[in-house]
Coordinates of all heavy atoms in Angstrom, one line a residue:
M50 N 6.6 -78.9 158.3 CA 6.1 -80.2 158.5 C 5.3 -80.7 157.3 O 4.7 -79.9 156.6 CB 5.1 -80.2 159.7 CG 5.9 -80.2 161.1 SD 4.7 -80.0 162.4 CE 4.4 -81.6 162.9
D51 N 5.3 -82.0 157.1 CA 4.7 -82.6 155.9 C 3.2 -82.9 156.2 O 2.8 -83.3 157.2 CB 5.4 -83.8 155.5 CG 6.7 -83.5 154.8 OD1 7.0 -82.3 154.4 OD2 7.5 -84.5 154.6
I52 N 2.5 -82.7 155.1 CA 1.1 -83.2 155.0 C 1.1 -84.3 153.9 O 2.0 -84.3 153.1 CB 0.1 -82.1 154.8 CG1 0.5 -81.3 153.6 CG2 0.0 -81.2 156.0 CD1 -0.4 -80.2 153.2
L53 N 0.1 -85.1 154.0 CA 0.0 -86.2 153.0 C -1.1 -86.0 152.0 O -2.2 -85.7 152.4 CB -0.1 -87.6 153.7 CG 1.0 -87.9 154.7 CD1 0.7 -89.3 155.3 CD2 2.3 -88.0 154.0
C54 N -0.8 -86.3 150.8 CA -1.9 -86.2 149.7 C -2.9 -87.3 150.0 O -2.6 -88.4 150.3 CB -1.3 -86.4 148.4 SG -2.5 -86.6 147.1
P55 N -4.2 -86.9 150.0 CA -5.3 -87.9 150.3 C -5.6 -88.8 149.1 O -6.3 -89.7 149.3 CB -6.5 -87.0 150.6 CG -6.2 -85.7 149.8 CD -4.7 -85.5 149.9
I56 N -4.9 -88.5 148.0 CA -5.2 -89.4 146.8 C -4.0 -90.3 146.6 O -4.2 -91.5 146.4 CB -5.3 -88.5 145.5 CG1 -6.3 -87.4 145.8 CG2 -5.7 -89.4 144.4 CD1 -7.8 -87.8 146.0
C57 N -2.8 -89.8 146.7 CA -1.6 -90.7 146.4 C -0.6 -90.8 147.5 O 0.4 -91.5 147.4 CB -0.9 -90.1 145.2 SG 0.1 -88.6 145.4
A58 N -0.9 -90.1 148.6 CA -0.1 -90.2 149.9 C 1.3 -89.6 149.8 O 2.1 -89.7 150.6 CB 0.1 -91.7 150.3
E59 N 1.5 -88.8 148.7 CA 2.8 -88.1 148.6 C 2.9 -87.1 149.7 O 2.0 -86.3 149.9 CB 2.8 -87.4 147.2 CG 4.1 -86.6 146.9 CD 5.3 -87.4 146.6 OE1 5.2 -88.6 146.5 OE2 6.4 -86.8 146.4
P60 N 4.1 -87.1 150.4 CA 4.2 -86.0 151.4 C 4.6 -84.7 150.8 O 5.4 -84.6 149.8 CB 5.4 -86.5 152.3 CG 5.9 -87.7 151.6 CD 5.2 -88.0 150.4
V61 N 4.0 -83.6 151.3 CA 4.2 -82.3 150.8 C 4.4 -81.4 152.0 O 3.7 -81.5 153.0 CB 3.0 -81.8 150.0 CG1 3.1 -80.3 149.6 CG2 2.8 -82.6 148.7
D62 N 5.4 -80.5 151.9 CA 5.6 -79.6 153.0 C 4.5 -78.6 153.1 O 4.0 -78.1 152.0 CB 7.0 -78.8 152.8 CG 7.4 -78.1 154.1 OD1 6.7 -77.3 154.6 OD2 8.5 -78.5 154.6
N63 N 4.0 -78.4 154.3 CA 2.9 -77.4 154.4 C 3.2 -76.1 153.9 O 2.3 -75.3 153.5 CB 2.5 -77.4 155.9 CG 1.3 -76.5 156.2 OD1 0.3 -76.8 155.6 ND2 1.4 -75.6 157.1
D64 N 4.5 -75.7 153.9 CA 4.8 -74.4 153.3 C 4.5 -74.3 151.8 O 4.2 -73.2 151.3 CB 6.3 -74.2 153.5 CG 6.7 -73.9 154.9 OD1 5.8 -73.6 155.7 OD2 7.9 -74.0 155.2
E65 N 4.4 -75.4 151.1 CA 4.0 -75.4 149.7 C 2.6 -74.8 149.6 O 2.3 -74.1 148.6 CB 4.0 -76.8 149.2 CG 5.4 -77.5 149.0 CD 6.2 -77.0 147.8 OE1 5.6 -76.5 146.9 OE2 7.4 -77.0 147.9
L66 N 1.7 -75.1 150.5 CA 0.4 -74.6 150.4 C 0.4 -73.1 150.6 O -0.4 -72.4 149.9 CB -0.5 -75.3 151.5 CG -1.1 -76.6 151.0 CD1 -0.1 -77.7 150.8 CD2 -2.2 -77.1 152.0
H67 N 1.2 -72.6 151.5 CA 1.3 -71.2 151.7 C 1.8 -70.5 150.5 O 1.3 -69.5 150.0 CB 2.2 -70.9 152.9 CG 1.6 -71.2 154.2 ND1 0.7 -70.3 154.8 CD2 1.8 -72.2 155.1 CE1 0.3 -70.9 156.0 NE2 1.0 -72.0 156.2
S68 N 2.9 -71.1 149.9 CA 3.5 -70.5 148.7 C 2.5 -70.5 147.5 O 2.4 -69.5 146.8 CB 4.7 -71.3 148.2 OG 5.7 -71.4 149.3
Y69 N 1.8 -71.6 147.4 CA 0.8 -71.7 146.3 C -0.3 -70.7 146.4 O -0.7 -70.1 145.5 CB 0.3 -73.2 146.2 CG -0.4 -73.4 144.9 CD1 0.3 -73.5 143.7 CD2 -1.8 -73.5 144.8 CE1 -0.4 -73.7 142.5 CE2 -2.5 -73.7 143.6 CZ -1.8 -73.8 142.4 OH -2.4 -74.0 141.3
A70 N -0.8 -70.6 147.7 CA -1.8 -69.6 147.9 C -1.4 -68.2 147.5 O -2.2 -67.5 146.9 CB -2.2 -69.6 149.4
K71 N -0.1 -67.9 147.8 CA 0.4 -66.6 147.5 C 0.5 -66.5 145.9 O 0.1 -65.4 145.3 CB 1.8 -66.4 148.1 CG 2.3 -65.0 148.2 CD 3.5 -64.8 149.0 CE 3.2 -64.9 150.5 NZ 4.4 -64.7 151.3
E72 N 0.9 -67.6 145.3 CA 1.1 -67.6 143.9 C -0.2 -67.4 143.1 O -0.2 -66.6 142.1 CB 1.7 -68.9 143.5 CG 2.3 -69.1 142.1 CD 2.8 -70.5 141.9 OE1 3.6 -70.9 142.7 OE2 2.5 -71.1 140.8
I73 N -1.3 -68.0 143.6 CA -2.5 -67.8 142.9 C -3.4 -66.7 143.5 O -4.6 -66.6 143.2 CB -3.3 -69.2 142.8 CG1 -3.7 -69.7 144.2 CG2 -2.5 -70.2 142.1 CD1 -4.7 -70.8 144.2
Q74 N -2.8 -66.0 144.4 CA -3.5 -64.9 145.1 C -4.8 -65.4 145.8 O -5.9 -64.8 145.7 CB -3.8 -63.8 144.1 CG -2.6 -63.2 143.5 CD -2.8 -61.9 142.7 OE1 -3.8 -61.9 142.0 NE2 -1.9 -61.0 142.7
S75 N -4.6 -66.5 146.5 CA -5.7 -67.1 147.3 C -5.3 -67.1 148.7 O -4.3 -66.4 149.1 CB -6.0 -68.5 146.8 OG -7.1 -69.1 147.5
T76 N -6.0 -67.8 149.5 CA -5.7 -67.9 151.0 C -5.2 -69.3 151.3 O -5.6 -70.2 150.6 CB -6.9 -67.5 151.9 OG1 -7.9 -68.5 151.6 CG2 -7.4 -66.1 151.6
Y77 N -4.4 -69.4 152.3 CA -4.0 -70.7 152.8 C -5.2 -71.6 153.1 O -5.2 -72.8 152.7 CB -3.1 -70.6 154.0 CG -2.8 -71.9 154.6 CD1 -1.8 -72.8 154.1 CD2 -3.5 -72.4 155.8 CE1 -1.6 -74.0 154.6 CE2 -3.3 -73.6 156.3 CZ -2.3 -74.4 155.7 OH -2.1 -75.7 156.3
R78 N -6.1 -71.0 153.7 CA -7.3 -71.7 154.1 C -8.1 -72.3 152.9 O -8.5 -73.5 153.0 CB -8.3 -70.7 154.9 CG -9.4 -71.4 155.6 CD -10.3 -70.3 156.3 NE -11.4 -70.9 156.9 CZ -11.4 -71.5 158.1 NH1 -10.3 -71.5 158.8 NH2 -12.5 -72.0 158.6
A79 N -8.2 -71.5 151.8 CA -8.9 -72.0 150.6 C -8.1 -73.1 150.0 O -8.6 -74.1 149.5 CB -9.1 -70.9 149.7
V80 N -6.7 -72.9 149.9 CA -5.9 -73.9 149.2 C -5.9 -75.2 150.1 O -5.9 -76.3 149.5 CB -4.4 -73.4 149.1 CG1 -3.5 -74.5 148.6 CG2 -4.4 -72.2 148.1
A81 N -5.8 -75.1 151.4 CA -5.8 -76.3 152.3 C -7.1 -77.0 152.1 O -7.1 -78.3 152.1 CB -5.6 -75.8 153.7
A82 N -8.2 -76.3 152.0 CA -9.5 -77.0 151.8 C -9.6 -77.8 150.5 O -10.0 -78.9 150.4 CB -10.7 -76.0 151.8
D83 N -9.0 -77.2 149.4 CA -8.9 -77.8 148.1 C -8.0 -79.0 148.2 O -8.3 -80.1 147.7 CB -8.5 -76.8 147.1 CG -8.7 -77.3 145.7 OD1 -9.5 -78.2 145.4 OD2 -8.0 -76.7 144.8
Y84 N -6.9 -78.8 148.9 CA -5.9 -79.9 149.0 C -6.5 -81.1 149.7 O -6.2 -82.2 149.4 CB -4.7 -79.4 149.8 CG -3.6 -80.4 150.0 CD1 -2.6 -80.6 148.9 CD2 -3.5 -81.2 151.1 CE1 -1.7 -81.6 149.0 CE2 -2.5 -82.2 151.2 CZ -1.6 -82.4 150.2 OH -0.7 -83.4 150.3
R85 N -7.3 -80.9 150.7 CA -7.9 -82.0 151.4 C -8.8 -82.8 150.5 O -9.0 -84.0 150.8 CB -8.6 -81.5 152.7 CG -7.7 -81.0 153.8 CD -8.5 -80.8 155.1 NE -9.5 -79.9 155.0 CZ -9.4 -78.6 155.2 NH1 -8.2 -78.1 155.5 NH2 -10.4 -77.7 155.1
Q86 N -9.3 -82.2 149.5 CA -10.1 -82.9 148.5 C -9.3 -83.5 147.4 O -9.5 -84.7 147.0 CB -11.2 -82.0 147.9 CG -12.1 -81.4 148.9 CD -13.0 -82.4 149.6 OE1 -13.5 -83.3 148.9 NE2 -13.1 -82.4 150.9
R87 N -8.5 -82.7 146.8 CA -7.8 -83.1 145.5 C -6.3 -83.4 145.7 O -5.6 -83.8 144.7 CB -8.0 -82.0 144.5 CG -9.5 -81.7 144.1 CD -9.6 -80.9 142.9 NE -8.9 -79.6 143.0 CZ -8.1 -79.1 142.0 NH1 -7.9 -79.8 140.9 NH2 -7.6 -77.9 142.2
G88 N -5.8 -83.2 146.9 CA -4.4 -83.4 147.1 C -3.4 -82.6 146.2 O -3.7 -81.5 145.9
C89 N -2.4 -83.3 145.7 CA -1.4 -82.7 144.8 C -2.0 -81.8 143.8 O -1.4 -80.7 143.5 CB -0.6 -83.8 144.1 SG 0.1 -85.1 145.2
K90 N -3.0 -82.2 143.1 CA -3.6 -81.4 142.0 C -4.0 -80.0 142.5 O -4.0 -79.1 141.7 CB -4.9 -82.1 141.5 CG -4.6 -83.5 140.8 CD -4.1 -83.3 139.4 CE -3.9 -84.7 138.8 NZ -3.2 -84.6 137.5
A91 N -4.3 -79.9 143.8 CA -4.8 -78.6 144.3 C -3.7 -77.6 144.4 O -3.9 -76.4 144.5 CB -5.4 -78.8 145.7
I92 N -2.4 -78.1 144.3 CA -1.3 -77.2 144.4 C -0.4 -77.2 143.1 O 0.8 -77.0 143.2 CB -0.4 -77.4 145.7 CG1 0.0 -78.9 145.8 CG2 -1.2 -77.0 146.9 CD1 1.0 -79.1 146.9
G93 N -1.0 -77.6 142.0 CA -0.4 -77.6 140.8 C 0.6 -78.7 140.5 O 1.5 -78.6 139.7
M94 N 0.5 -79.8 141.3 CA 1.4 -80.9 141.1 C 0.6 -82.1 140.6 O -0.6 -82.2 140.7 CB 2.1 -81.3 142.5 CG 3.0 -80.3 143.0 SD 3.4 -80.6 144.8 CE 4.0 -82.3 144.7
N95 N 1.4 -83.1 140.1 CA 0.7 -84.4 139.7 C 0.9 -85.4 140.8 O 1.8 -85.4 141.6 CB 1.4 -84.9 138.4 CG 1.0 -84.1 137.2 OD1 -0.1 -83.7 137.0 ND2 2.0 -83.8 136.4
H96 N -0.1 -86.3 140.9 CA 0.0 -87.4 141.9 C 1.2 -88.3 141.5 O 1.4 -88.5 140.4 CB -1.3 -88.2 141.9 CG -2.5 -87.4 142.4 ND1 -2.6 -86.8 143.6 CD2 -3.6 -87.0 141.7 CE1 -3.7 -86.2 143.7 NE2 -4.4 -86.3 142.6
T97 N 1.8 -88.8 142.5 CA 2.9 -89.7 142.3 C 2.3 -91.1 141.9 O 1.2 -91.4 142.3 CB 3.8 -89.8 143.6 OG1 4.8 -90.7 143.3 CG2 3.0 -90.4 144.8
T98 N 3.1 -91.8 141.2 CA 2.6 -93.1 140.7 C 2.9 -94.2 141.7 O 2.2 -95.2 141.7 CB 3.2 -93.5 139.4 OG1 4.7 -93.3 139.5 CG2 2.7 -92.6 138.3
N99 N 3.9 -94.1 142.6 CA 4.2 -95.1 143.6 C 3.4 -94.8 144.9 O 4.0 -94.7 145.9 CB 5.7 -95.3 143.8 CG 6.3 -94.0 144.3 OD1 5.7 -92.9 144.2 ND2 7.6 -94.0 144.8
S100 N 2.1 -94.7 144.7 CA 1.3 -94.4 145.8 C 1.0 -95.5 146.7 O 1.0 -96.7 146.3 CB 0.0 -93.7 145.3 OG -0.7 -94.7 144.5
S101 N 0.7 -95.2 147.9 CA 0.2 -96.2 148.9 C -1.2 -95.9 149.2 O -1.6 -94.9 149.8 CB 1.0 -96.2 150.2 OG 0.3 -96.9 151.2
S102 N -2.1 -96.8 148.7 CA -3.5 -96.6 148.9 C -3.9 -96.6 150.4 O -4.8 -95.9 150.9 CB -4.4 -97.6 148.2 OG -4.0 -98.9 148.5
A103 N -3.2 -97.4 151.2 CA -3.5 -97.5 152.6 C -3.1 -96.2 153.3 O -3.9 -95.7 154.2 CB -2.7 -98.7 153.3
V104 N -2.0 -95.6 153.0 CA -1.6 -94.4 153.6 C -2.5 -93.3 153.2 O -2.9 -92.4 154.0 CB -0.1 -94.1 153.2 CG1 0.3 -92.7 153.8 CG2 0.8 -95.1 153.8
A105 N -2.9 -93.3 151.9 CA -3.8 -92.2 151.4 C -5.1 -92.3 152.1 O -5.7 -91.3 152.5 CB -3.9 -92.4 149.9
A106 N -5.6 -93.6 152.3 CA -6.9 -93.8 153.0 C -6.8 -93.2 154.4 O -7.7 -92.6 154.9 CB -7.3 -95.2 152.9
N107 N -5.7 -93.5 155.0 CA -5.5 -93.0 156.4 C -5.5 -91.4 156.4 O -6.1 -90.8 157.3 CB -4.2 -93.5 156.9 CG -3.9 -93.0 158.4 OD1 -4.8 -93.2 159.2 ND2 -2.8 -92.5 158.6
A108 N -4.8 -90.9 155.4 CA -4.8 -89.4 155.3 C -6.2 -88.8 155.2 O -6.5 -87.8 155.8 CB -3.9 -89.0 154.1
R109 N -7.0 -89.5 154.4 CA -8.4 -89.0 154.2 C -9.2 -89.1 155.5 O -10.0 -88.2 155.8 CB -9.1 -89.9 153.1 CG -8.6 -89.6 151.7 CD -9.6 -90.1 150.6 NE -9.6 -91.6 150.6 CZ -8.8 -92.4 150.0 NH1 -7.8 -91.9 149.3 NH2 -9.0 -93.7 150.0
V110 N -8.9 -90.1 156.3 CA -9.6 -90.3 157.6 C -9.2 -89.1 158.5 O -10.0 -88.5 159.2 CB -9.3 -91.6 158.2 CG1 -9.7 -91.7 159.7 CG2 -9.9 -92.8 157.5
V111 N -7.9 -88.8 158.5 CA -7.4 -87.7 159.3 C -8.0 -86.4 158.9 O -8.5 -85.7 159.8 CB -5.8 -87.6 159.2 CG1 -5.3 -86.3 159.8 CG2 -5.2 -88.8 159.9
Y112 N -8.1 -86.1 157.6 CA -8.7 -84.9 157.2 C -10.2 -84.9 157.5 O -10.7 -83.8 157.9 CB -8.5 -84.7 155.7 CG -7.0 -84.5 155.3 CD1 -6.5 -85.1 154.2 CD2 -6.2 -83.6 156.0 CE1 -5.2 -84.9 153.8 CE2 -4.9 -83.4 155.6 CZ -4.4 -84.0 154.5 OH -3.1 -83.8 154.2
D113 N -10.8 -86.0 157.3 CA -12.3 -86.1 157.7 C -12.5 -85.7 159.1 O -13.5 -85.0 159.4 CB -12.8 -87.5 157.4 CG -13.1 -87.7 155.9 OD1 -13.1 -86.7 155.2 OD2 -13.5 -88.9 155.6
I114 N -11.7 -86.3 160.0 CA -11.9 -86.1 161.4 C -11.5 -84.7 161.9 O -12.2 -84.0 162.7 CB -11.2 -87.1 162.2 CG1 -11.8 -88.5 162.0 CG2 -11.2 -86.8 163.7 CD1 -11.1 -89.7 162.5
L115 N -10.4 -84.2 161.4 CA -9.8 -82.9 161.9 C -10.3 -81.7 161.1 O -10.1 -80.6 161.5 CB -8.3 -83.0 161.8 CG -7.7 -84.0 162.8 CD1 -6.2 -84.0 162.6 CD2 -8.1 -83.8 164.2
G116 N -11.0 -81.9 160.0 CA -11.5 -80.8 159.2 C -10.4 -79.8 158.8 O -9.4 -80.2 158.2
D117 N -10.6 -78.5 159.1 CA -9.6 -77.5 158.7 C -8.4 -77.4 159.6 O -7.6 -76.5 159.5 CB -10.2 -76.2 158.4 CG -10.8 -75.6 159.7 OD1 -10.7 -76.2 160.7 OD2 -11.4 -74.5 159.6
D118 N -8.3 -78.3 160.6 CA -7.2 -78.3 161.5 C -5.9 -78.9 160.9 O -5.6 -80.1 161.2 CB -7.5 -79.0 162.8 CG -6.4 -79.0 163.8 OD1 -5.4 -78.3 163.6 OD2 -6.6 -79.7 164.9
M119 N -5.2 -78.2 160.0 CA -4.1 -78.7 159.3 C -2.9 -79.0 160.3 O -2.1 -79.9 160.1 CB -3.7 -77.8 158.2 CG -4.7 -77.7 157.1 SD -5.1 -79.3 156.3 CE -3.9 -79.4 155.0
D120 N -2.8 -78.2 161.3 CA -1.8 -78.4 162.3 C -1.9 -79.7 163.0 O -1.0 -80.5 163.2 CB -1.8 -77.3 163.4 CG -1.2 -75.9 162.8 OD1 -0.5 -76.0 161.8 OD2 -1.6 -74.9 163.4
G121 N -3.2 -80.0 163.3 CA -3.5 -81.3 163.9 C -3.2 -82.4 163.0 O -2.7 -83.5 163.4
A122 N -3.5 -82.2 161.7 CA -3.2 -83.3 160.7 C -1.7 -83.5 160.6 O -1.3 -84.7 160.6 CB -3.8 -82.9 159.3
M123 N -1.0 -82.4 160.6 CA 0.5 -82.6 160.5 C 1.0 -83.3 161.7 O 1.9 -84.2 161.6 CB 1.1 -81.2 160.4 CG 1.2 -80.6 159.1 SD 2.0 -79.0 159.0 CE 0.7 -77.9 159.3
A124 N 0.5 -83.0 162.9 CA 1.0 -83.7 164.1 C 0.7 -85.2 164.0 O 1.5 -86.0 164.4 CB 0.3 -83.1 165.3
E125 N -0.5 -85.4 163.5 CA -0.9 -86.8 163.3 C 0.0 -87.6 162.3 O 0.4 -88.7 162.6 CB -2.4 -86.9 162.8 CG -3.1 -88.2 162.9 CD -3.2 -88.6 164.4 OE1 -3.5 -87.8 165.2 OE2 -3.0 -89.8 164.6
F126 N 0.3 -87.0 161.2 CA 1.2 -87.6 160.2 C 2.6 -87.7 160.8 O 3.3 -88.7 160.6 CB 1.2 -86.8 158.9 CG -0.1 -86.7 158.2 CD1 -0.5 -85.6 157.6 CD2 -1.0 -87.8 158.2 CE1 -1.7 -85.5 157.0 CE2 -2.2 -87.7 157.6 CZ -2.6 -86.5 157.0
A127 N 3.1 -86.7 161.5 CA 4.4 -86.7 162.0 C 4.6 -87.8 163.1 O 5.6 -88.4 163.2 CB 4.8 -85.4 162.6
D128 N 3.5 -88.1 163.8 CA 3.5 -89.1 164.8 C 3.7 -90.5 164.2 O 4.3 -91.4 164.9 CB 2.1 -89.0 165.5 CG 2.1 -89.9 166.8 OD1 3.1 -90.1 167.4 OD2 1.0 -90.3 167.2
G129 N 3.2 -90.7 163.0 CA 3.5 -91.9 162.3 C 2.5 -93.1 162.7 O 2.6 -94.2 162.2
T130 N 1.7 -92.8 163.7 CA 0.7 -93.8 164.1 C -0.7 -93.3 163.8 O -0.9 -92.1 163.9 CB 0.9 -94.2 165.6 OG1 0.7 -93.0 166.3 CG2 2.2 -94.8 165.8
N131 N -1.6 -94.2 163.5 CA -2.9 -93.8 163.3 C -3.8 -94.1 164.5 O -4.1 -95.2 164.8 CB -3.5 -94.6 162.1 CG -4.9 -94.2 161.8 OD1 -5.5 -93.3 162.4 ND2 -5.5 -94.9 160.9
T132 N -4.0 -93.0 165.2 CA -4.8 -93.2 166.5 C -6.3 -93.3 166.2 O -7.1 -93.5 167.1 CB -4.5 -92.0 167.4 OG1 -4.8 -90.8 166.7 CG2 -3.1 -92.0 167.9
F133 N -6.7 -93.2 164.9 CA -8.1 -93.3 164.6 C -8.5 -94.7 164.3 O -9.7 -94.9 163.9 CB -8.5 -92.3 163.5 CG -8.2 -90.9 163.8 CD1 -7.3 -90.1 163.0 CD2 -8.7 -90.3 165.0 CE1 -7.0 -88.8 163.4 CE2 -8.4 -89.0 165.3 CZ -7.6 -88.3 164.5
D134 N -7.6 -95.7 164.3 CA -8.0 -97.0 164.0 C -9.1 -97.6 164.9 O -9.0 -97.3 166.1 CB -6.8 -98.0 164.1 CG -6.1 -98.0 162.7 OD1 -6.7 -97.6 161.7 OD2 -4.9 -98.5 162.7
Ligands
ZN120 ZN1 -1.2 -86.8 145.2

């Protein structure tokens, strides 16, 4: 399932965070925490240029509310509606 970058709104498969954690010998939890702050940059990617600030802002709200519940965040993004409005 995809998660959204809180900076540029680029969708990233959650598996990327697991892979990156393994790559840098860190934990998924640590990488996910970093990702919620820095998005793409936290997993060695660059932010996309065709970003949607509205979608990114929504992603930040989701992460703010759900904290380290990445499964919940994924469900929220997959749902496609923002229930926090
Ligand atoms: Zn990004």
Side-chain angles (χ1 to χ4, degrees):
M50 285 173 91
D51 285 347
I52 49 177
L53 301 180
C54 173
I56 311 295
C57 72
E59 177 76 2
V61 172
D62 195 298
N63 185 52
D64 288 344
E65 292 281 336
L66 274 65
H67 286 285
S68 303
Y69 193 73
K71 198 170 283 182
E72 193 179 312
I73 63 169
Q74 299 186 327
S75 184
T76 62
Y77 171 79
R78 194 181 174 84
V80 170
D83 194 21
Y84 182 85
R85 290 193 298 273
Q86 298 298 315
R87 301 194 298 135
C89 307
K90 297 278 187 190
I92 52 172
M94 294 167 52
N95 287 316
H96 295 297
T97 181
T98 49
N99 57 347
S100 59
S101 163
S102 57
V104 175
N107 181 51
R109 289 195 295 275
V110 169
V111 168
Y112 293 135
D113 278 352
I114 292 172
L115 296 178
D117 64 359
D118 179 8
M119 294 303 272
D120 288 337
M123 276 182 270
E125 195 62 39
F126 297 143
D128 191 28
T130 57
N131 180 6
T132 55
F133 300 123
D134 269 344

